[in-house]
Amino acid sequence: MPMPSKLQVGTGELRVTPAFSVGLEGYQGAPLAQAVERFLGNVTRRTGLFIGVDPAAADKSTLVIYTEHAGSAVQELGEDESYALNVTAAGAKLSAANPLGILRGLQTFLQLIQLTPAGWVVNAVQIEDAPRFPWRGLMIDVSRHFIQMDTLKRNVDAMEAVKLNVLHLHLSDDQGFRLQNKEFPKLTESGSDGQFYTQAEMRELVEYAGERGIRVVPEFDMPGHSTAWFVGYPELSSGPGPYAIERRWGIFDPAMDPTREETYKFLDKFIGEMAAFFPDHYFHIGGDEVNGKQWDANPKIQEFKREHKLKSNEELQAYFTQRVEKLVRKHHKTMVGWDEILVPGMPEEIVIQSWRGQDSLAKAAQQGYRGLLSSGYYLDAMAPAGKYYAVDPMSNADAALTPEQQKRILGGEAAAWAEFISDENNESRIWPRAAAIAERLWSPQEMRDPESMYARLAGVNQELEQLGLRQRSNMQVMLGRMAGNDDIPALRILAEVVEPVSITIREKEAESAGGIQTSDIALNRLVDAVEPESEMAREFSVAVNQLVSSNFQDAQAEAYIRSSLIRWRDNDAALQPVLQASYLPQEAVPVSKNLNALAVSGLQALDYVEKKQVAPESWRAQQSALVQNAAKPTADLSLAIAPAIQKLIDAGASAK
Amino acid sequence: MPMPSKLQVGTGELRVTPAFSVGLEGYQGAPLAQAVERFLGNVTRRTGLFIGVDPAAADKSTLVIYTEHAGSAVQELGEDESYALNVTAAGAKLSAANPLGILRGLQTFLQLIQLTPAGWVVNAVQIEDAPRFPWRGLMIDVSRHFIQMDTLKRNVDAMEAVKLNVLHLHLSDDQGFRLQNKEFPKLTESGSDGQFYTQAEMRELVEYAGERGIRVVPEFDMPGHSTAWFVGYPELSSGPGPYAIERRWGIFDPAMDPTREETYKFLDKFIGEMAAFFPDHYFHIGGDEVNGKQWDANPKIQEFKREHKLKSNEELQAYFTQRVEKLVRKHHKTMVGWDEILVPGMPEEIVIQSWRGQDSLAKAAQQGYRGLLSSGYYLDAMAPAGKYYAVDPMSNADAALTPEQQKRILGGEAAAWAEFISDENNESRIWPRAAAIAERLWSPQEMRDPESMYARLAGVNQELEQLGLRQRSNMQVMLGRMAGNDDIPALRILAEVVEPVSITIREKEAESAGGIQTSDIALNRLVDAVEPESEMAREFSVAVNQLVSSNFQDAQAEAYIRSSLIRWRDNDAALQPVLQASYLPQEAVPVSKNLNALAVSGLQALDYVEKKQVAPESWRAQQSALVQNAAKPTADLSLAIAPAIQKLIDAGASAK
């Protein structure tokens, strides 16, 4: 995963033993040698075999790598990532134009290693592969909650495994400025609560990503979402100040003053330093969600608008964006920004990242602009992998685009906004679901069977843990914290069938409870620990569908469903003492009771069907009400098995 | 854990909220500020609360830290580690003479944070604490299998948590030379299979450990256990060469030539570089297990012995050790070595690390030498935590020692020899069992109740996972690899009741199967994944003892035992398809069957008791034979519940 564009299964299998070796042909440079060494380490991780890392002669190697030529000094957008991989029982050959293609092919090889009764093997196969889109990104918001460097590196490891190639860091927002700036040290000294990356740390990350064929694109959001800049440099803002780091979530009034020349002098120096620091050719300036209130309240800005015949705040922002674009260009970078930056007069080089959707993107493409889709790829929306998988950057408008215009759709980016993501659950909020987006952006458009995707996603999930990711082990740690000890099987059973509600609901619930969500509030609740998508509930739902469509003849499905229901029914008794013993899991008391009630309903329904009885309508009404109640968000959790239980109830109340 | 030397419980509790803060009084230096920042990060890890890291005024802080003065520039053996911690409902105060004591006290505070129905609290308490021994170490063998830097750092984190203060790295042996040397680059170029630490990496580790109050003592084993040196520098050896890195385990012939002046010139330069590199005052030269064969076979060496009137190889090694000790002293370090280095004429400064035992240590102390105990602390022996806990550095001979002599017993070191330890299972082979040794070395001698230790050990195990250790999550990864997917509950049930056999048995088994264990053989089997001590079996055994001693009246114990037995009985049916599907877990087929048989026996025994019947003697004989069979090592695993099952069988066959 992602599925290669062309794949032909051969006969026989290549054995992977401790004598496995890799030899290089064609171009051989330091990046390749390093890639091979890392690859051999990963083969060891995957198999547990101790594979020697000494280089081997090409003609005696298990895997021969042929590389035509070196890659660009700085990885380019659209640089060739294609490769061909040919595995036979006698050996394997991986060929690519440059080291970048080799990196991609090595990940494919790694995924092909399988454990069989005879040992570790790779089945014979012929693969020709190339990405559908050249920009396949993951955006991580490190501003709203600070994310540790080690966590970012683990994300990079995972990105490489699924062939994503852009790490987009949202480095500043109202809630924090996260990268040291030497010209303007107060950006982090005053604007980060002490939580920021030094340039030395960031340089290491950029190198780390570069070795893995991943570009790092920095984003500094302006002119809005910029409160954290103003804590140290209030003169940049359009209001009187002083400012403090914002603790709430939302869109806030502070915005840079687009009318003062000092603003552009500041940004010239700032962008200059950052443009020199980040090697990538693209530079993201955000540009989203300016509410204009500070501009309206400032007479000098009003005066400026009149003078310059700027009729609206949108036009004022357009003026700002055009000035900033010139600064970005002056420092030899290409500007990227959210939808709002696309204003008349923008040069065609810029890249639009769309939170508005495919139509917005297509419209931009028709006007000659390149774009990226992020709408539909917000991982913090907590949608299931299948939903992200179904979102295609060209799904609506591609028919209307000429081939040349279609080329302007560069790809997309999964986005992990961090209102409810901490360093601790960052990985579980991103992985494995981002792998579904990675496949959407790499594999051919026709590949869209969610069942096949889910089957492979489980394998990726396991592979990522082998790489050291903590998307699941941190859930264990968080559940252990809640329980106060390690005796958590009952808590885990509950955790496996609930899903976090969407952020919108979570915020509404907090408001209606009279509270307000801020960045100070701990993310240590059950909703923060559980996986965004319940695999257990998905499997259960598949089994219920099978059972119903088999007219209740599928004995295996029934046995699985019944044993699941019994486990859930009995879990509440074991779990209640744990929930009630400490304040963290207490809120889940009704959730556990609801799970018990749903399971009892489901078992009754099965009994009706088995006895070939039709349940009375009153029973159906009562149970359905119970399902509806259980389906309501409680403790910001939803019981993901509720729809499948409703199906069982409906079947129990139907004529057989 | 380790238990403080004096602890008095108070009334009330201190709440730990996001407003928790730390203020400094008295001496304030960079090491303290850094320690506090790390501590606050750990409070966040433990609680999930976002604790601000900004420094607070001492009079407004939740926790006030008073430090008398700075610590030594380089941490000294015996440097004051004592501290006093006073927690009331109103606030907490931690005092110590120096930052080292503060580090120890902060770990105590961290462990005291508890989750209650009212939130996170620390119960009021007054603690005065100081270590019993000044040298509390962990030796990690990185030669026989290479251990990654990140893994070493996680070990350091764990060591800090349980107040160990010496990381002893066994950096060279027959199987590999693991630290870059600039004067002699071939030591790693030829002697490490490319698996070694650069000096830059090691410097970072030494700093990392230093910040946590942990000294790093390097060991370079000589004159034996030194094959890896000779691959690049055969002229150092007593034999003709050439040499290759040793792949087998054991004691080998190659040894340095103690008769050539060039040997000492080499070692002078080598020790000089390493002594300057490592800040610690102690330098370990190994010195163990020279079989003398190369010396006997070399006529020049024979000649030298005659000339110098050296009557035995022991005397020849004594000559070598005396020469090396002078070199170590010349470079301003104090020599440490295994028992063998204690030979007549050695200066009293040296430190003896004893693999021979307490008597050897006491004897050395009587002769004026300081010593460390490692005998009885070999973690790779796979003994239960309780066994290590019972080993006291002074258990036998302390009565015979004067107080002054007793002071020469500096403490001890847990040792993780790496014949069967890879980077992947390093942490599970060390933790949590090393914490029992840590308590033995820190807490008062009278503290020796294993039940209390085990209860607290479970908490430490959980705390270590919060710190990021992988002692348990890596087991999940390894089981997942065996099963080929994540569906491993049945495999986990088996894994939780088996224990690895001792290394001795494992090597014998391999030999009797006609094989030989080498460093190339993968450590990816069930025996490598499972925990050294089965907590499940221990709990089961406790319950069986309770049930039997209650004359089968303890209903709760019986319910627990019965449900465990049913789970184990039924597991085999679910597990067999998984075991048979791939070659890695195949060997566990009979182990799973034995578990089923034991469970059936146990259930039958319970039934006899319940029905107040006496099982026939033939049944008892049959079942006992079955237990004996199941208790035999299979796939290098032993079923840890076997003895408890035998108890049930005996009870089933006894008159009621």
Side-chain angles (χ1 to χ4, degrees), chain A residues 159-179:
Chain A
M159 290 174 69
E160 185 190 21
V162 298
K163 303 187 173 64
L164 289 173
N165 67 358
V166 179
L167 173 64
H168 164 180
L169 292 174
H170 185 76
L171 286 164
S172 72
D173 211 306
D174 298 304
Q175 292 81 7
F177 196 102
R178 302 299 183 196
L179 178 61

Side-chain angles (χ1 to χ4, degrees), chain A residues 361-437:
Chain A
L361 216 53
K363 213 174 130 192
Q366 283 165 335
Q367 294 171 47
Y369 295 100
R370 295 175 301 165
L372 302 169
L373 186 69
S374 271
S375 162
Y377 292 147
Y378 280 18
L379 295 167
D380 50 308
M382 298 291 171
K387 195 168 169 192
Y388 298 112
Y389 191 60
V391 174
D392 194 294
M394 293 207 204
S395 61
N396 299 323
D398 55 341
L401 296 181
T402 66
E404 200 187 348
Q405 288 165 350
Q406 285 190 19
K407 269 196 202 153
R408 294 185 190 131
I409 313 283
L410 298 176
E413 284 189 1
W417 298 106
E419 281 91 344
F420 296 99
I421 295 181
S422 68
D423 184 60
E424 190 170 41
N425 67 6
N426 168 282
E427 286 151 274
S428 72
R429 269 68 199 124
I430 297 178
W431 304 103
R433 295 178 305 148
I437 300 173

Side-chain angles (χ1 to χ4, degrees), chain A residues 370-540:
Chain A
R370 295 175 301 165
L372 302 169
L373 186 69
S374 271
S375 162
Y377 292 147
Y378 280 18
L379 295 167
D380 50 308
M382 298 291 171
K387 195 168 169 192
Y388 298 112
Y389 191 60
V391 174
D392 194 294
M394 293 207 204
S395 61
N396 299 323
D398 55 341
L401 296 181
T402 66
E404 200 187 348
Q405 288 165 350
Q406 285 190 19
K407 269 196 202 153
R408 294 185 190 131
I409 313 283
L410 298 176
E413 284 189 1
W417 298 106
E419 281 91 344
F420 296 99
I421 295 181
S422 68
D423 184 60
E424 190 170 41
N425 67 6
N426 168 282
E427 286 151 274
S428 72
R429 269 68 199 124
I430 297 178
W431 304 103
R433 295 178 305 148
I437 300 173
E439 173 156 304
R440 173 57 48 241
L441 298 173
W442 176 283
S443 303
Q445 190 169 17
E446 314 78 69
M447 210 161 278
R448 52 175 69 197
D449 173 24
E451 283 308 310
S452 154
M453 182 278 287
Y454 272 113
R456 287 174 292 116
L457 195 66
V460 168
N461 209 10
Q462 191 181 3
E463 186 190 352
L464 296 183
E465 287 224 306
Q466 283 177 351
L467 283 177
L469 266 83
R470 301 191 172 194
Q471 80 274 21
R472 285 188 300 194
S473 58
N474 270 359
M475 172 167 123
Q476 300 306 319
V477 169
M478 293 176 83
L479 295 182
R481 170 195 293 148
M482 271 174 241
N485 63 59
D486 280 335
D487 192 17
I488 51 171
L491 187 54
R492 195 184 301 135
I493 286 172
L494 179 65
E496 279 173 354
V497 293
V498 293
E499 290 176 353
V501 297
S502 75
I503 288 182
T504 327
I505 297 180
R506 188 165 176 176
E507 286 181 332
K508 270 190 200 149
E509 291 283 318
E511 270 171 45
S512 71
I516 183 168
Q517 281 288 348
T518 70
S519 57
D520 295 326
I521 292 181
L523 299 177
N524 56 4
R525 297 163 57 204
L526 192 53
V527 59
D528 301 305
V530 301
E531 290 171 7
E533 182 174 10
S534 162
E535 177 63 12
M536 190 68 79
R538 207 183 60 79
E539 282 172 12
F540 182 75

Side-chain angles (χ1 to χ4, degrees), chain A residues 45-48 50 53 115-117 119-120 193 462 468 470 472 480-482 485-486 519 521-522 524 581-583, chain B residues 45-48 50 53 115-117 119-120 193 462 468 470 472 480-482 485-486 519 521-522 524 581-583:
Chain A
R45 277 211 186 83
R46 184 157 180 88
T47 60
F50 297 119
V53 295
L115 187 61
T116 69
W120 294 101
D193 295 313
Q462 191 181 3
R470 301 191 172 194
R472 285 188 300 194
R481 170 195 293 148
M482 271 174 241
N485 63 59
D486 280 335
S519 57
I521 292 181
N524 56 4
S582 64
Y583 94 104
Chain B
R45 276 211 187 84
R46 184 156 180 88
T47 60
F50 297 119
V53 294
L115 188 62
T116 69
W120 295 101
D193 293 313
Q462 189 181 5
R470 302 192 171 192
R472 283 188 300 195
R481 170 195 295 148
M482 272 174 241
N485 63 57
D486 280 335
S519 58
I521 292 181
N524 56 5
S582 64
Y583 94 105

Side-chain angles (χ1 to χ4, degrees), chain A residues 120-354:
Chain A
W120 294 101
V121 305
V122 176
N123 287 319
V125 71
Q126 248 187 307
I127 289 174
E128 278 179 54
D129 200 10
R132 181 172 161 219
F133 293 108
W135 188 308
R136 306 177 307 279
L138 169 64
M139 190 219 75
I140 301 182
D141 173 6
V142 298
S143 173
R144 289 183 175 81
H145 284 107
F146 185 62
I147 305 296
Q148 304 288 341
M149 262 301 157
D150 282 350
T151 310
L152 293 180
K153 284 185 185 169
R154 290 196 298 271
N155 273 289
V156 167
D157 291 340
M159 290 174 69
E160 185 190 21
V162 298
K163 303 187 173 64
L164 289 173
N165 67 358
V166 179
L167 173 64
H168 164 180
L169 292 174
H170 185 76
L171 286 164
S172 72
D173 211 306
D174 298 304
Q175 292 81 7
F177 196 102
R178 302 299 183 196
L179 178 61
Q180 176 194 22
N181 191 284
K182 294 191 174 167
E183 183 77 28
F184 304 109
K186 284 189 286 182
L187 286 170
T188 50
E189 281 168 14
S190 307
S192 77
D193 295 313
Q195 296 195 302
F196 66 95
Y197 312 113
T198 64
Q199 289 194 2
E201 288 168 334
M202 183 57 74
R203 189 169 293 116
E204 204 182 303
L205 179 71
V206 170
E207 275 171 27
Y208 189 89
E211 291 163 4
R212 285 150 183 85
I214 292 166
R215 302 162 40 211
V216 176
V217 174
E219 175 185 356
F220 299 96
D221 212 342
M222 58 183 86
H225 282 293
S226 49
T227 308
W229 302 62
F230 306 150
V231 185
Y233 300 96
E235 63 274 20
L236 262 181
S237 80
S238 308
Y243 295 91
I245 295 172
E246 184 57 58
R247 306 288 164 193
R248 296 162 299 166
W249 310 133
I251 299 175
F252 300 98
D253 302 346
M256 291 181 187
D257 188 340
T259 68
R260 295 175 68 230
E261 281 310 306
E262 285 77 4
T263 301
Y264 301 105
K265 279 188 196 148
F266 184 107
L267 290 177
D268 187 13
K269 282 187 192 160
F270 174 82
I271 293 171
E273 181 176 333
M274 291 292 101
F277 179 83
F278 285 98
D280 199 69
H281 296 306
Y282 291 80
F283 192 91
H284 203 304
I285 61 115
D288 54 322
E289 301 182 328
V290 183
N291 72 13
K293 284 187 191 168
Q294 270 199 347
W295 292 346
D296 293 340
N298 184 328
K300 281 193 185 163
I301 294 179
Q302 292 306 311
E303 172 66 26
F304 182 91
K305 278 169 73 177
R306 276 190 298 275
E307 261 176 35
H308 289 71
K309 302 202 167 57
L310 299 167
K311 289 191 277 303
S312 66
N313 284 335
E314 285 69 34
E315 288 189 11
L316 181 59
Q317 185 176 350
Y319 168 82
F320 172 82
T321 307
Q322 279 157 351
R323 295 280 309 258
V324 170
E325 194 279 332
K326 285 196 185 79
L327 296 177
V328 171
R329 193 140 38 96
K330 172 181 162 192
H331 295 294
H332 314 293
K333 302 282 166 164
T334 301
M335 188 171 85
V336 189
W338 299 95
D339 291 284
E340 288 92 332
I341 67 160
L342 182 49
V343 288
M346 271 293 151
E348 284 189 359
E349 290 81 48
I350 66 163
V351 173
I352 311 298
Q353 180 166 18
S354 183

